[in-house]
Amino acid sequence: MKKKLSLLSVLLLLTGCWDQNVLNKTKLITAGGFDYTKDGKIITTASVPEANAMESGKDSIENQIYTATGTTVRQSRFKLDREVSERLDISKNQIIILGEDAAKEDIYQLLDVFYRDPKSALNAKIAVAKGKASDVISKKFEETKKAAGLGEYLRDSILSAEESSAVPRENIQTVCPVMFDPGQDFALPYLEALKRTIHIRGVALFRGQKMVGEIKEPLSVTYTMLTGKKHEIAMNTTKKIYKNKKPARLNYVTIKVKKNKRSFLVDVTPEGKISAKIKLKTKVTITEYPSDNLSTPTEVRNIEKQLSKKLTKDAQTVIDKLQAMNSDPFGVGRQVMAFHYPVWERLNWEEEYPKIDFTASVDVEVIGHGIIE
Amino acid sequence: MTFFKKPKKLITEAKVEHDIQKGLNNKSTVVQNLNLDELLTKVKEPFSATEDLVTQEVELPSDTSRIALLYIESIVDKQLVQSMILDPLFTTGKEITFESFKKMASIDLKQETDFNQVPKFLLQSNTLVFTEDTTCFYTVSTPVKTQRDITEPDNESIVRGAHDGFVENLSTNLALVRKKLRSSKLTIKYLLLGQESHMKLALLYVDQIANPELVKEVEKRVKSIEADAVYAPGNVEESIEDKPFSFFPQILNTERPDRVAANLMEGRVALLYDTSPTAHIMPVNFFTFYQSVDDYNKRWHISSFFRFIRIMGFFIALGLPAIYISIVSFHYEVIPFDLILLIKSSLEDIPYPPLVEALLMELTIEFIREASIRLPARIGSTIAIVGGLVIGDAVVKAGLVSNLMIIVVAVTAIAAYIVPSNEMSAAVRILRFPFMVAAATLGFLGIVFGFLLLLFHLCRLYTFGSPYFAPIAPLNVKDLKDTFLRAPFWKQDTRPQDLNTQKPDNRNHTRKWDKS
């Protein structure tokens, strides 16, 4: 008994603290970005917030930006580690930014490290930056000068865009399986660094593991609607439904999507001709309509009709763009693969997809018009 | 060489014993031949030259024969001696026979002939009356009343329910239990412990409910105690508990008669002590220590909620510092992002590793606790100020310990005192330290190991033949009614099954009016 006890305590005590990973002896990366140099090396940019404890419980955060170059991501991170005093840690990373040029290459090569390290933050957001990633991971933004860490600021910007459906909800974990799916592609938020703020440009579309194009902001709401997302906190959009009213603001109506029901039909004729159709049944409330007269049923019906027409047109524009880019984020290919496998086997999907008959229709129903009559 | 020889004992203990026995025996045989003076010298022989052994010789006015009173004045109420023996004797003043004496003194009078018993009677606060008739003597119980009032025990105070508590007097304590449990089946057995100290204790159980094996086992263990002196209930507890090396208390200490009564009716056995307000209840299981009398006087939802809080308190008191240590030094990725910078900034300039930091504060709390028990109440408030303000605030300002550590330690300390039983609370506070060491060496894995070992131990522990972790291991769904939850009275219709009582059904048939 005594022997066992002493053995046990020796086991516990002799291990000491060699594998400890103490919080106050690490530097946490909260945002990371990747760019390529001209000769194909990887530039990693990382933002490390330094929190200074101050009196009365208010902390001030100072963002520090480090960069390092390496042949691979891991190598560049090792070099980064040399630059800073304590050990760098990626486990609380909030966002990964891919520079535009980097995104147009194979992005899996950049993300591979994240899928191998069990400590890496797989729920970090991932986004594409117009220009270079190092433009976005910078100290110039107004909000980061006060209290927010850079990673937090970028993450929250994307989150708020997600909530208004301007961009789809994606993170490192969710893009991984889609990246390897030949029948489906994905889209990421597309950021642009303005002088003092960050701007959500829209969505960046991918084919396979490479970026192939973008859909800009107002239209990107239609894109997320077409993915069949259940309604977000504020899926908002302003649409022009008349042409010649004066002043111009009377031409517009702003709606908030309350319910969004999608039916997605992929059909293959015996001859092997593929057609796809997305039908949206959308229930909306009107949050702004300067022309008013919403109390008359005919006016409401008129708006419904106009909106349906306008949204169907927008949806068709989105789909045409997608087909032109040869990006398939709605997963038409996956449907074909699943339900018409012999056809799929015969096809070269990359060649076939731009040619298929892909249409969309949106049916809008107004279910509310605010609190005034 | 003679220096190294072991000195011979002058008289061996057995021989002394024998001599006394012989002397006393001689007396009873040759007792007729002794006169009163000789008899008194003989019976006083076993006592050393103690000066509180008083012999009072009285010559009655109407009678020429002498009588002598023998008592130990420190444990005898002299007024009682006066009023119960001397006054009646002087008023009637006849020759003393048992009958005449009995008429006068009326209560608590016994005629004894066994002179061997004299020391025992004297030590039990009796006054002995010797007459010229040296074949017998009389004993009158004249105990001195050095008893405090019946008050609520400070260490087990409650909000609702009876506010009486045991005192340092066995007969009062038994009266308190009897009052709660006026049953003809309540059985009391007196036992004397300590060859010299003669501590009296009472073994209580309810006949036809308590398992006779259990009663026999408890009696056997108590009787097996051999010691010159047994001073405190703690001595008995340590002598009869199953696993003295376990951290967990295996016998419930209480000062509440209602708690004793309720446990007796569940089929347990209680030990009550003269000279101590503490009663012992056995066998108990882990969850008994998380019950409070208060629970049964609140509505059941509320007391169930508090039960839940107490069990939560157990885990917090045991694990929170360990979890803090392992998070900060191994697994900080589990901290939510919005919190991590805050925590990091408060930790940034702490010079010590988290384990040292935690030990420092935990020990400080224990210091404060121990100091505040010893100090008189007036100085106690000083400790509160020193402990609360100086240590809490200054330590953080000085940068020795982080803000968060203070919070963790404070929450842990509060959680440890949620346990209604002081003994269990102490056990939890001690066990916290190995957990902290395990967390500092292996992180969450260490904590898991710690809890595993703890669970092994709890599952293996048996007290007086019943499993310590009872309704959980072995699992008994029916008995869970009084553990995590406190089921309403009308649902508590069986006695705990792990006690193997003679009557598992406790005949709780209430709310019959509600059935129709």
Side-chain angles (χ1 to χ4, degrees):
Chain A
M1 187 65 188
K2 259 186 193 167
K3 215 174 172 185
K4 273 185 202 162
L5 271 180
S6 54
L7 208 69
L8 194 77
S9 55
V10 160
L11 268 179
L12 268 180
L13 295 174
L14 281 188
T15 52
C17 309
W18 63 274
D19 62 343
Q20 271 192 1
N21 191 12
V22 187
L23 179 61
N24 55 5
K25 293 193 179 112
T26 46
K27 285 216 154 65
L28 300 170
I29 296 177
T30 59
F34 298 115
D35 289 307
Y36 284 116
T37 58
K38 272 176 196 152
D39 50 353
K41 285 195 170 177
I42 294 163
I43 310 170
T44 302
T45 315
S47 154
V48 176
E50 284 284 303
N52 304 315
M54 281 167 72
E55 282 296 309
S56 76
K58 283 229 165 183
D59 293 353
S60 77
I61 292 176
E62 199 183 306
N63 294 294
Q64 292 170 343
I65 312 280
Y66 300 99
T67 50
T69 315
T71 323
T72 65
V73 174
R74 186 60 88 184
Q75 195 188 24
S76 68
R77 201 199 287 171
F78 284 150
K79 283 190 181 165
L80 212 58
D81 219 336
R82 299 294 125 70
E83 283 179 31
V84 299
S85 60
E86 289 163 342
R87 187 169 44 193
L88 276 178
D89 188 277
I90 196 76
S91 66
K92 294 315 273 185
N93 186 25
Q94 294 301 298
I95 186 163
I96 295 289
I97 305 281
L98 304 167
E100 198 181 351
D101 294 336
K104 283 177 177 163
E105 305 275 322
D106 189 342
I107 66 164
Y108 177 76
Q109 292 164 7
L110 298 174
L111 297 180
D112 181 73
V113 264
F114 298 104
Y115 299 126
R116 291 193 194 281
D117 185 357
K119 278 198 135 188
S120 68
L122 285 179
N123 60 351
K125 295 285 165 203
I126 175 165
V128 179
K130 176 91 180 152
K132 288 209 167 292
S134 50
D135 296 342
V136 172
I137 300 186
S138 88
K139 293 189 202 178
K140 65 185 175 188
F141 302 119
E142 197 69 12
E143 278 190 55
T144 58
K145 283 175 187 158
K146 282 174 189 147
L150 179 65
E152 208 180 345
Y153 168 64
L154 293 175
R155 179 201 64 187
D156 289 349
S157 306
I158 290 180
L159 278 179
S160 89
E162 280 174 359
E163 278 169 4
S164 58
S165 292
V167 295
R169 252 176 221 279
E170 296 287 359
N171 59 34
I172 298 184
Q173 170 96 64
T174 57
V175 296
C176 180
V178 186
M179 218 188 297
F180 294 105
D181 188 345
Q184 191 167 7
D185 298 316
F186 60 96
L188 295 178
Y190 197 22
L191 307 180
E192 185 178 8
L194 301 182
K195 261 196 184 139
R196 303 169 76 186
T197 54
I198 194 85
H199 169 65
I200 310 283
R201 262 176 84 88
V203 292
L205 276 306
F206 280 73
R207 181 176 66 231
Q209 292 135 19
K210 290 175 187 168
M211 179 180 160
V212 286
E214 63 167 316
I215 295 177
K216 282 203 182 151
E217 205 262 310
L219 210 55
S220 66
V221 178
T222 316
Y223 164 79
T224 24
M225 274 172 73
L226 285 172
T227 58
K229 269 265 160 73
K230 294 277 173 286
H231 87 277
E232 296 285 346
I233 293 173
M235 196 187 261
N236 274 321
T237 185
T238 305
K239 291 291 172 200
K240 189 177 180 184
I241 52 173
Y242 301 116
K243 278 188 183 136
N244 37 24
K245 284 195 180 177
K246 290 263 157 107
R249 72 184 77 90
L250 292 181
N251 293 328
Y252 289 86
V253 61
T254 308
I255 54 168
K256 183 175 176 184
V257 177
K258 285 283 179 190
K259 260 187 185 164
N260 188 22
K261 201 176 161 203
R262 179 177 87 148
S263 61
F264 184 31
L265 303 165
V266 176
D267 206 31
V268 181
T269 59
E271 297 87 55
K273 203 169 146 36
I274 300 165
S275 65
K277 188 165 177 60
I278 293 178
K279 275 188 191 166
L280 279 186
K281 277 196 174 161
T282 308
K283 291 184 176 168
V284 301
T285 57
I286 293 171
T287 51
E288 189 185 34
Y289 185 55
S291 316
D292 203 10
N293 284 330
L294 275 175
S295 50
T296 54
T298 44
E299 181 71 12
V300 172
R301 216 154 296 140
N302 189 25
I303 293 172
E304 278 177 1
K305 222 167 98 190
Q306 294 293 336
L307 271 175
S308 300
K309 217 168 101 189
K310 176 74 182 157
L311 281 171
T312 306
K313 209 179 128 205
D314 284 352
Q316 199 57 52
T317 319
V318 167
I319 284 170
D320 291 347
K321 278 192 174 209
L322 290 176
Q323 277 185 302
M325 286 180 241
N326 200 358
S327 172
D328 181 16
F330 301 132
V332 182
R334 172 133 293 280
Q335 298 273 334
V336 177
M337 199 197 296
F339 300 113
H340 310 279
Y341 191 68
V343 180
W344 169 264
E345 256 189 330
R346 264 187 279 123
L347 288 176
N348 182 350
W349 184 242
E350 285 205 7
E351 282 173 17
E352 188 68 21
Y353 176 66
K355 290 186 278 181
I356 65 166
D357 179 23
F358 196 174
T359 54
S361 73
V362 184
D363 188 18
V364 177
E365 187 188 341
V366 175
I367 58 166
H369 47 72
I371 48 175
I372 57 158
E373 272 303 313
Chain B
M1 282 306 283
T2 48
F3 290 120
F4 296 98
K5 261 187 187 164
K6 225 181 180 178
K8 258 187 193 167
K9 273 186 189 167
L10 292 177
I11 311 165
T12 58
E13 280 167 40
K15 193 153 176 281
V16 173
E17 195 92 340
H18 180 72
D19 283 356
I20 293 170
Q21 294 286 350
K22 216 172 84 183
L24 291 172
N25 284 343
N26 281 349
K27 203 156 297 134
S28 48
T29 50
V30 292
V31 84
Q32 274 100 345
N33 304 334
L34 293 173
N35 64 28
L36 185 57
D37 290 325
E38 284 166 334
L39 176 67
L40 284 175
T41 2
K42 273 287 175 194
V43 295
K44 275 155 81 176
E45 226 168 50
F47 288 92
S48 52
T50 177
E51 285 183 10
D52 60 349
L53 179 64
V54 177
T55 322
Q56 198 175 349
E57 292 193 17
V58 188
E59 276 188 43
L60 294 176
S62 57
D63 194 354
T64 48
S65 65
R66 290 185 306 155
I67 60 167
L69 305 185
L70 194 63
Y71 55 84
I72 299 174
E73 76 178 336
S74 48
I75 54 172
V76 155
D77 188 349
K78 280 192 185 153
Q79 284 208 313
L80 272 183
V81 176
Q82 184 70 36
S83 64
M84 284 176 64
I85 306 167
L86 290 175
D87 284 351
L89 281 179
F90 275 96
T91 44
T92 45
K94 283 179 195 164
E95 193 177 342
I96 299 208
T97 60
F98 181 66
E99 285 73 28
S100 68
F101 202 16
K102 180 111 190 161
K103 253 179 219 160
M104 293 179 295
S106 68
I107 40 161
D108 263 351
L109 177 78
K110 278 185 206 127
Q111 189 178 26
E112 301 281 346
T113 50
D114 186 0
F115 287 90
N116 289 328
Q117 300 281 330
V118 168
K120 191 189 130 191
F121 285 122
L122 283 174
L123 289 167
Q124 299 289 341
S125 304
N126 290 309
T127 301
L128 307 192
V129 181
F130 294 91
T131 61
E132 298 273 16
D133 175 14
T134 48
T135 51
C136 68
F137 62 96
Y138 306 97
T139 68
V140 185
S141 173
T142 50
V144 66
K145 290 263 190 296
T146 49
Q147 181 193 332
R148 64 185 169 96
D149 292 338
I150 293 174
T151 51
E152 173 158 37
D154 286 336
N155 45 10
E156 273 178 279
S157 51
I158 57 163
V159 181
R160 287 253 175 275
H163 291 288
D164 52 351
F166 289 139
V167 291
E168 288 81 356
N169 183 306
L170 184 59
S171 55
T172 315
N173 292 352
L174 289 174
L176 288 174
V177 176
R178 273 248 186 242
K179 259 197 253 173
K180 298 268 183 314
L181 212 65
R182 293 183 192 274
S183 159
S184 56
K185 288 171 192 154
L186 175 61
T187 315
I188 296 173
K189 281 190 180 174
Y190 289 117
L191 300 162
L192 277 180
L193 277 188
Q195 269 83 333
E196 294 298 333
S197 70
H198 297 295
M199 182 166 71
K200 194 173 176 186
L201 60 106
L203 184 147
L204 278 73
Y205 63 94
V206 181
D207 197 24
Q208 293 172 36
I209 290 177
N211 184 359
E213 305 265 309
L214 170 69
V215 178
K216 224 186 280 170
E217 179 67 25
V218 174
E219 203 178 340
K220 189 186 96 190
R221 288 192 196 180
V222 174
K223 276 187 174 162
S224 74
I225 298 174
E226 271 183 35
D228 270 358
V230 177
Y231 308 100
N235 299 149
V236 179
E237 178 176 357
E238 285 189 355
S239 311
I240 65 174
E241 69 186 356
D242 285 64
K243 290 266 157 54
F245 287 104
S246 170
F247 282 116
F248 288 98
Q250 294 147 56
I251 290 172
L252 179 68
N253 285 248
T254 183
E255 294 186 17
R256 303 196 61 89
D258 43 3
R259 199 157 193 201
V260 171
N263 276 297
L264 285 175
M265 278 313 284
E266 282 200 336
R268 297 181 217 269
V269 176
L271 288 176
L272 265 64
Y273 302 86
D274 205 11
T275 73
S276 170
T278 302
H280 284 152
I281 295 171
M282 67 219 77
V284 285
N285 56 44
F286 179 78
F287 296 98
T288 318
F289 294 92
Y290 285 86
Q291 296 167 346
S292 154
V293 178
D294 240 359
D295 295 349
Y296 304 94
N297 291 315
K298 285 197 191 95
R299 304 196 59 230
W300 70 275
H301 334 73
I302 293 149
S303 31
S304 294
F305 173 64
F306 287 123
R307 281 282 169 80
F308 180 71
I309 285 202
R310 283 181 210 142
I311 301 284
M312 220 163 71
F314 170 77
F315 285 108
I316 289 176
L318 207 59
L320 189 65
I323 288 172
Y324 169 79
I325 290 171
S326 56
I327 284 183
V328 163
S329 50
F330 287 94
H331 315 285
Y332 51 79
E333 61 269 15
V334 304
I335 309 173
F337 178 76
D338 298 316
L339 204 59
I340 195 164
L341 289 179
L342 222 66
I343 294 175
K344 194 166 152 51
S345 71
S346 84
L347 274 175
E348 207 61 72
D349 300 320
I350 307 300
Y352 303 114
L355 176 66
V356 177
E357 193 192 351
L359 280 179
L360 202 73
M361 282 323 284
E362 288 293 349
L363 288 178
T364 310
I365 288 273
E366 293 297 310
F367 283 161
I368 294 173
R369 190 195 68 87
E370 195 62 20
S372 58
I373 293 177
R374 306 284 160 249
L375 280 176
R378 268 176 226 146
I379 315 174
S381 59
T382 323
I383 285 295
I385 292 167
V386 172
L389 285 181
V390 178
I391 293 175
D393 195 39
V395 136
V396 173
K397 282 216 174 116
L400 290 173
V401 168
S402 69
N403 274 324
L404 207 68
M405 191 68 235
I406 298 279
I407 297 171
V408 167
V409 168
V411 171
T412 312
I414 293 168
Y417 293 109
I418 287 178
V419 192
S421 154
N422 196 23
E423 286 72 32
M424 186 55 100
S425 158
V428 169
R429 290 205 311 272
I430 289 283
L431 275 173
R432 175 191 302 162
F433 292 100
F435 270 86
M436 276 154 61
V437 174
T441 50
L442 296 174
F444 279 164
L445 190 67
I447 297 178
V448 170
F449 281 158
F451 273 109
L452 259 181
L453 287 178
L454 191 72
L455 198 64
F456 288 166
H457 175 67
L458 283 174
C459 290
R460 281 189 49 187
L461 198 56
Y462 272 77
T463 65
F464 295 92
S466 77
Y468 188 66
F469 211 40
I472 303 288
L475 182 67
N476 188 336
V477 180
K478 194 130 211 277
D479 280 355
L480 288 177
K481 65 189 184 306
D482 203 11
T483 52
F484 297 112
L485 290 179
R486 201 276 289 169
F489 184 62
W490 39 272
K491 278 280 180 193
Q492 307 231 13
D493 50 0
T494 52
R495 302 206 157 84
Q497 288 179 21
D498 53 287
L499 294 174
N500 281 326
T501 53
Q502 295 187 55
K503 279 186 188 155
D505 180 13
N506 64 9
R507 294 187 289 184
N508 274 2
H509 303 303
T510 62
R511 296 193 71 82
K512 271 188 183 164
W513 56 269
D514 205 15
K515 296 279 157 59
S516 54

